[in-house]
Amino acid sequence: NVIPANVPTPPTAVIPTVSNGQISIRWRASQDNGSPILSYRVDLAPGGHSCEVTDLSFLGCTIPDLDNGVPYSLSVYATNAVGDSESASVVGTVTPRAIPNPVQSVVVSATAGKATVSWIPGFNGGTPIQSYRVVSTPGGTICTTNAPSTQCVIENLKNGSNYTFSVIAVNEAGSSQPALSTSTLIAGTPSAPV
């Protein structure tokens, strides 16, 4: 009795890795069910993005030119001469992400010895902003606030001195480029010489 060949089993252990505008996918080989596997295909939706792997020495591919912040559903198939397997089991969606864009419109309101720094968030890079970090120059005093707050108060500044403040947004992918305020004079009576 000859058992007829069938389509392959679905690929297993699919591992997607997201980065800026792309998704890389790895998986484990399918069983060929009597007819050698010719290729694997990964499809992403929406957008009809895909990649095909015919060199079976490395089971993985990267799909570029994706939109950060868009959740993509993922399907992975194996193909032999009989046809395509069922899709690999992949739960949920995957979302490419990048570091946030710099914040905008940094505004400083100064009073004696302290400054309240506020800003407007930029694009979050496709994953929520976790926090913001404000650094004073000179001095390097740091104030950190958790999103969605867009204001931070830096204290212990020297009266009669000019400061600039940089604001950095942080998400899972990393830290934005700093956005700088204009130079701000800290009002109040200058500290007595020591």
Side-chain angles (χ1 to χ4, degrees):
N1 271 352
V2 175
I3 299 172
N6 203 343
V7 298
T9 62
T12 58
V14 176
I15 301 173
T17 304
V18 297
S19 56
N20 184 8
Q22 64 183 29
I23 298 173
S24 298
I25 306 100
R26 302 273 320 258
W27 59 87
R28 287 208 184 117
S30 301
Q31 295 176 7
D32 65 18
N33 283 338
S35 175
I37 291 174
L38 303 173
S39 64
Y40 290 89
R41 187 180 80 253
V42 178
D43 293 336
L44 293 182
H49 302 277
S50 65
C51 63
E52 186 169 6
V53 174
T54 55
D55 175 358
L56 305 184
S57 64
F58 179 78
L59 300 182
C61 66
T62 298
I63 300 179
D65 303 322
L66 303 176
D67 293 322
N68 288 325
V70 173
Y72 291 90
S73 60
L74 179 66
S75 305
V76 185
Y77 304 91
T79 302
N80 64 12
V82 180
D84 290 347
S85 71
E86 294 288 318
S87 174
S89 174
V90 181
V91 176
T93 58
V94 277
T95 305
R97 60 181 182 257
I99 63 173
N101 286 359
V103 304
Q104 303 164 9
S105 305
V106 177
V107 175
V108 180
S109 172
T111 57
K114 68 181 182 179
T116 301
V117 183
S118 57
W119 56 89
I120 298 171
F123 174 62
N124 66 13
T127 190
I129 302 289
Q130 296 168 326
S131 63
Y132 295 95
R133 192 167 60 245
V134 181
V135 181
S136 69
T137 304
T141 303
I142 297 173
C143 172
T144 301
T145 186
N146 291 328
S149 172
T150 57
Q151 179 175 297
C152 216
V153 178
I154 293 189
E155 300 182 330
N156 301 317
L157 300 176
K158 191 184 291 186
N159 290 334
S161 296
N162 283 302
Y163 288 86
T164 56
F165 301 90
S166 62
V167 183
I168 296 167
V170 180
N171 69 7
E172 278 184 2
S175 300
S176 72
Q177 292 296 310
L180 298 177
S181 73
T182 57
S183 181
T184 302
L185 177 66
I186 303 302
T189 307
S191 306
V194 178

